[in-house]
Structures are given as C-alpha cells and as structure tokens.
Amino acid sequence: METLVVDHPLVAHKLTTLRDVRTDSPTFRRLADELVTLLAYEATRDVRTTDVTVETPVSPAHGVRLAKPYPLVVPILRAGLGMLDGMTRLLPTAEVGFLGMIRNESTLQAETYATRLPDDLSGRQCYVVDPMLATGGTLAAAVQFLFDRGAIDVTAICLLAAPEGLAYMDKVFANSGKPIRVVTAALDERLNENGYIVPGLGDAGDRLYGVV
C-alpha cells in the first residue's frame, strides 16, 4: 500500500482552520471542499488516459483524455458527502457511487447499511472519499467491497489519517496484489481510547452537518 501525505502550504493552511474548534459548519464545509480538490490533484496522478489528437486554431496537437471506463468516485456516507463536490469538480466525467457505512462505537468495526454502486466494477479505477482514516476498519471494508465487485485499483482520499489506521490497512491488504493508495493532508499522532484521531479535528460528520 502506498501512502502520500500532501506537503503543501495551502493544504496545511486550510487544514489548520478545519482543526480549529471555532470554525463553524459553513466555513468547515467550504474549506473541506477546497482541500479535497487539492488532494484530488495529487491522488489522480495515475488516472488512466488515452492519447488523442485535436485541432487547435493553428495546427493539430497531441494530448490525452480520460480513458473509459471513467473513474468511479465513492463517498462513504455521511461525512464523505462533504468531499464529493471537491472530487467531481476535478473529475466532472467521473461516475459516482454511494456506500453507507458506520462505525460501531462499541466494537469499532464497520457496518454497511446502504449501497448504491454498479454490480460489476471490472476494469474501474475507484476513488473512495472519507474525511478520517482512524482505526482503518471502515476504509478497509469499503476498499474490500470495491475489490469484490471487480475494481482494479483503489485510491482513498482522507483529510486526516492516524498511524494505527494506516497500519491496519497495510496489514489487511498486504497480500492482495492490487494497487491501493491513501492520500491525506496529514498523518496525526495517534488514536485516543475512543478511537478518535489526536489532535484530529473532532467528528467530521458533525462538524460538516451538525449533530443528528
């Protein structure tokens, strides 16, 4: 598994404001959207393309376009929805699937409660978006779900990651033989006794949409 921590002043600047407890939900949503677009720029370096030739006003020019089947963006509900617009802004031709997963706060294991994805993902590149990679259970379950349906490689885009979550992902997929990448704005210190990232930014879903 490959991990990329995006080292860029704008990424660090926006993440700092996201961490701030004084940042209200509207500002949090806007900054999360902007930050995802910056992360997506790095995450899509290996997106598949096909060579094309177009006519400029002067002469033919060689270039590339995204190859079919187009990438699939998969937000993990509900917090992942706050990252969707930032992804589709950069990949407007991508298709979108939805995966509803929730962490059982007693067992810290992921439980699936809703899916809206193609049954056959053969040959597809998938981009999973979820703000927090904490224990790794939810993300690992989501990635395995996509591989089970035929995805050829999966990139996860997270605002924050914890060392424990990355270690868990690496352990689960050590022998998978499939490309897996995690792109994040920061690798934080650790998880606390409740499974939250420290220093983190709190519950991303609650900060995006309020407590429900």
Side-chain angles (χ1 to χ4, degrees), residues 38-79:
L38 294 174
L39 297 178
Y41 178 80
E42 296 293 339
T44 53
R45 285 189 179 275
D46 294 325
V47 69
R48 291 182 307 176
T49 60
T50 184
D51 294 332
V52 298
T53 299
V54 297
E55 291 289 338
T56 79
V58 179
S59 68
H62 299 293
V64 299
R65 287 200 174 105
L66 292 186
K68 294 183 178 179
Y70 291 132
L72 181 70
V73 177
V74 183
I76 299 179
L77 306 178
R78 72 178 162 131

Coordinates of all heavy atoms in Angstrom, one line a residue, residues 38-79:
L38 N -7.6 20.0 -3.8 CA -6.1 19.9 -3.7 C -5.6 18.5 -3.6 O -4.6 18.1 -4.2 CB -5.6 20.8 -2.6 CG -5.9 22.3 -2.7 CD1 -5.4 23.1 -1.5 CD2 -5.1 22.9 -4.0
L39 N -6.2 17.7 -2.7 CA -5.7 16.4 -2.5 C -6.0 15.5 -3.7 O -5.2 14.7 -4.1 CB -6.4 15.7 -1.3 CG -6.2 16.4 0.1 CD1 -7.0 15.7 1.2 CD2 -4.7 16.3 0.4
A40 N -7.2 15.8 -4.4 CA -7.5 15.0 -5.6 C -6.5 15.2 -6.7 O -6.3 14.3 -7.5 CB -8.9 15.4 -6.0
Y41 N -6.0 16.4 -6.8 CA -5.0 16.7 -7.8 C -3.8 15.8 -7.7 O -3.3 15.2 -8.7 CB -4.5 18.2 -7.7 CG -3.5 18.6 -8.7 CD1 -3.8 18.9 -10.0 CD2 -2.1 18.6 -8.3 CE1 -2.8 19.3 -10.9 CE2 -1.1 19.0 -9.2 CZ -1.5 19.3 -10.5 OH -0.5 19.7 -11.4
E42 N -3.4 15.5 -6.5 CA -2.3 14.6 -6.3 C -2.7 13.1 -6.4 O -2.0 12.3 -7.0 CB -1.7 14.8 -4.9 CG -1.0 16.1 -4.7 CD 0.2 16.3 -5.5 OE1 0.8 15.3 -6.0 OE2 0.6 17.5 -5.8
A43 N -4.0 12.8 -6.0 CA -4.5 11.5 -6.0 C -4.7 10.9 -7.4 O -4.7 9.7 -7.6 CB -5.8 11.4 -5.2
T44 N -4.9 11.8 -8.4 CA -5.2 11.4 -9.7 C -4.0 11.4 -10.6 O -4.2 11.3 -11.9 CB -6.3 12.3 -10.3 OG1 -5.9 13.7 -10.2 CG2 -7.7 12.1 -9.5
R45 N -2.9 11.4 -10.1 CA -1.7 11.4 -11.0 C -1.6 10.1 -11.8 O -1.0 10.1 -12.9 CB -0.4 11.5 -10.2 CG -0.2 13.0 -9.7 CD 1.2 13.1 -9.1 NE 1.4 14.5 -8.6 CZ 1.9 15.5 -9.5 NH1 2.1 15.2 -10.7 NH2 2.1 16.7 -9.0
D46 N -2.2 9.0 -11.3 CA -2.1 7.7 -12.0 C -3.5 7.4 -12.7 O -3.7 6.3 -13.1 CB -1.8 6.6 -11.1 CG -0.4 6.7 -10.5 OD1 0.5 7.2 -11.3 OD2 -0.1 6.4 -9.4
V47 N -4.3 8.4 -12.9 CA -5.6 8.1 -13.5 C -5.3 7.7 -15.0 O -4.4 8.3 -15.6 CB -6.5 9.4 -13.5 CG1 -6.0 10.5 -14.3 CG2 -7.9 9.0 -13.9
R48 N -6.1 6.8 -15.5 CA -5.8 6.3 -16.8 C -6.3 7.3 -17.9 O -7.4 7.8 -17.8 CB -6.5 4.9 -17.0 CG -5.9 3.8 -16.2 CD -6.6 2.5 -16.5 NE -8.0 2.7 -16.3 CZ -8.9 1.7 -16.5 NH1 -8.5 0.5 -17.0 NH2 -10.2 1.9 -16.3
T49 N -5.4 7.4 -18.9 CA -5.8 8.3 -20.0 C -5.5 7.6 -21.4 O -4.9 6.5 -21.4 CB -4.9 9.6 -20.0 OG1 -3.5 9.2 -20.1 CG2 -5.1 10.4 -18.7
T50 N -6.1 8.2 -22.4 CA -5.8 7.7 -23.8 C -5.4 8.8 -24.6 O -5.8 10.0 -24.5 CB -7.1 7.0 -24.3 OG1 -6.9 6.5 -25.6 CG2 -8.2 8.1 -24.5
D51 N -4.5 8.5 -25.6 CA -3.9 9.5 -26.5 C -5.0 10.0 -27.5 O -5.7 9.1 -28.0 CB -2.7 9.0 -27.2 CG -1.5 8.7 -26.2 OD1 -1.4 9.4 -25.2 OD2 -0.7 7.8 -26.5
V52 N -5.0 11.3 -27.7 CA -5.9 11.8 -28.7 C -5.2 12.9 -29.5 O -4.1 13.4 -29.1 CB -7.2 12.4 -28.1 CG1 -8.0 11.3 -27.4 CG2 -6.8 13.5 -27.2
T53 N -5.7 13.3 -30.6 CA -5.2 14.4 -31.4 C -6.4 15.4 -31.6 O -7.5 14.9 -32.0 CB -4.7 14.0 -32.8 OG1 -3.6 13.1 -32.5 CG2 -4.2 15.2 -33.5
V54 N -6.2 16.6 -31.3 CA -7.2 17.7 -31.5 C -6.7 18.7 -32.5 O -5.5 18.9 -32.7 CB -7.7 18.3 -30.2 CG1 -8.3 17.2 -29.3 CG2 -6.5 19.0 -29.5
E55 N -7.6 19.5 -33.0 CA -7.3 20.6 -33.9 C -7.3 21.9 -33.1 O -8.3 22.3 -32.6 CB -8.2 20.7 -35.1 CG -8.1 19.5 -36.1 CD -6.8 19.6 -36.9 OE1 -6.2 20.7 -37.0 OE2 -6.4 18.6 -37.4
T56 N -6.2 22.6 -33.0 CA -6.1 23.9 -32.4 C -6.4 24.9 -33.6 O -6.5 24.5 -34.7 CB -4.8 24.2 -31.8 OG1 -3.8 24.6 -32.9 CG2 -4.2 23.0 -31.0
P57 N -6.6 26.2 -33.3 CA -6.8 27.2 -34.4 C -5.6 27.2 -35.3 O -5.7 27.8 -36.4 CB -7.0 28.5 -33.6 CG -7.5 28.1 -32.3 CD -6.8 26.8 -31.9
V58 N -4.4 26.6 -34.9 CA -3.2 26.7 -35.7 C -2.8 25.4 -36.4 O -2.5 25.4 -37.5 CB -2.0 27.2 -34.8 CG1 -0.7 27.3 -35.6 CG2 -2.4 28.6 -34.2
S59 N -2.9 24.3 -35.6 CA -2.5 23.0 -36.2 C -2.9 21.9 -35.3 O -3.4 22.1 -34.2 CB -0.9 23.0 -36.3 OG -0.3 23.0 -35.0
P60 N -2.8 20.6 -35.7 CA -3.1 19.5 -34.8 C -2.2 19.5 -33.6 O -1.0 19.9 -33.7 CB -2.9 18.3 -35.7 CG -2.9 18.8 -37.1 CD -2.4 20.2 -37.0
A61 N -2.7 19.0 -32.5 CA -2.0 18.9 -31.2 C -2.3 17.6 -30.6 O -3.4 17.1 -30.6 CB -2.3 20.0 -30.3
H62 N -1.2 16.9 -30.1 CA -1.4 15.6 -29.4 C -1.7 15.9 -27.9 O -1.1 16.8 -27.3 CB -0.1 14.8 -29.6 CG 0.2 14.4 -31.0 ND1 -0.6 13.6 -31.8 CD2 1.2 14.8 -31.8 CE1 -0.1 13.5 -33.0 NE2 1.0 14.3 -33.0
G63 N -2.6 15.1 -27.4 CA -2.9 15.3 -26.0 C -3.5 14.0 -25.4 O -3.4 12.9 -26.0
V64 N -4.2 14.1 -24.3 CA -4.8 12.9 -23.7 C -6.2 13.3 -23.2 O -6.5 14.5 -22.9 CB -4.0 12.4 -22.5 CG1 -2.6 11.9 -23.0 CG2 -3.8 13.4 -21.4
R65 N -7.0 12.3 -23.1 CA -8.3 12.4 -22.4 C -8.4 11.2 -21.4 O -7.8 10.2 -21.6 CB -9.5 12.4 -23.4 CG -9.6 13.6 -24.2 CD -11.0 13.7 -24.8 NE -11.2 15.0 -25.5 CZ -11.1 15.2 -26.8 NH1 -11.0 14.2 -27.6 NH2 -11.3 16.4 -27.3
L66 N -9.3 11.4 -20.4 CA -9.6 10.3 -19.5 C -10.1 9.1 -20.3 O -10.9 9.2 -21.2 CB -10.6 10.7 -18.5 CG -10.1 11.7 -17.4 CD1 -11.2 11.9 -16.4 CD2 -8.8 11.4 -16.8
A67 N -9.5 7.9 -20.0 CA -9.9 6.7 -20.6 C -11.2 6.1 -20.0 O -11.5 6.3 -18.9 CB -8.8 5.6 -20.5
K68 N -11.9 5.4 -20.9 CA -13.1 4.6 -20.4 C -12.7 3.2 -20.0 O -11.8 2.7 -20.6 CB -14.2 4.6 -21.5 CG -14.7 6.0 -21.8 CD -15.8 5.9 -22.9 CE -16.4 7.3 -23.2 NZ -17.5 7.2 -24.2
P69 N -13.4 2.6 -19.0 CA -14.5 3.2 -18.2 C -13.9 4.3 -17.3 O -12.8 4.2 -16.8 CB -15.0 2.0 -17.4 CG -13.8 1.1 -17.3 CD -13.0 1.3 -18.6
Y70 N -14.7 5.4 -17.2 CA -14.3 6.5 -16.4 C -14.2 6.2 -14.9 O -14.7 5.2 -14.4 CB -15.4 7.7 -16.5 CG -15.4 8.3 -17.9 CD1 -16.6 8.5 -18.5 CD2 -14.2 8.7 -18.5 CE1 -16.6 9.1 -19.8 CE2 -14.2 9.3 -19.8 CZ -15.5 9.5 -20.4 OH -15.5 10.0 -21.7
P71 N -13.4 7.0 -14.2 CA -13.2 6.7 -12.8 C -14.5 6.7 -12.0 O -15.5 7.4 -12.4 CB -12.3 7.8 -12.3 CG -11.6 8.3 -13.5 CD -12.6 8.1 -14.6
L72 N -14.6 6.0 -10.9 CA -15.7 6.0 -10.0 C -15.4 6.6 -8.7 O -14.4 6.2 -8.1 CB -16.2 4.6 -9.8 CG -17.5 4.4 -8.9 CD1 -18.7 4.9 -9.7 CD2 -17.7 2.9 -8.5
V73 N -16.1 7.6 -8.3 CA -15.9 8.3 -7.0 C -16.9 7.7 -6.0 O -18.1 7.7 -6.3 CB -16.0 9.8 -7.1 CG1 -15.9 10.5 -5.8 CG2 -15.0 10.4 -8.1
V74 N -16.4 7.3 -4.9 CA -17.3 6.6 -3.9 C -17.2 7.3 -2.6 O -16.2 7.1 -1.8 CB -17.0 5.2 -3.8 CG1 -18.0 4.5 -2.8 CG2 -17.0 4.4 -5.1
P75 N -18.1 8.3 -2.2 CA -18.1 8.8 -0.9 C -18.7 7.8 0.1 O -19.7 7.1 -0.2 CB -19.0 10.1 -1.0 CG -19.9 9.8 -2.2 CD -19.1 8.9 -3.1
I76 N -18.1 7.7 1.3 CA -18.6 6.9 2.4 C -19.6 7.8 3.2 O -19.1 8.8 3.7 CB -17.5 6.3 3.2 CG1 -16.6 5.4 2.4 CG2 -18.1 5.6 4.4 CD1 -15.5 4.8 3.2
L77 N -20.9 7.5 3.2 CA -21.8 8.3 3.9 C -21.6 8.2 5.4 O -21.2 7.2 5.9 CB -23.3 7.8 3.6 CG -23.6 7.6 2.1 CD1 -25.0 7.1 1.9 CD2 -23.5 9.0 1.4
R78 N -21.9 9.3 6.2 CA -22.4 10.6 5.6 C -21.4 11.6 5.4 O -21.5 12.5 4.5 CB -23.5 11.1 6.5 CG -23.0 11.7 7.8 CD -24.1 12.3 8.7 NE -23.6 12.5 10.0 CZ -23.6 13.6 10.8 NH1 -24.2 14.6 10.3 NH2 -23.1 13.6 12.0
A79 N -20.3 11.5 6.1 CA -19.2 12.5 6.1 C -18.6 12.6 4.7 O -18.2 13.7 4.3 CB -18.2 12.3 7.2

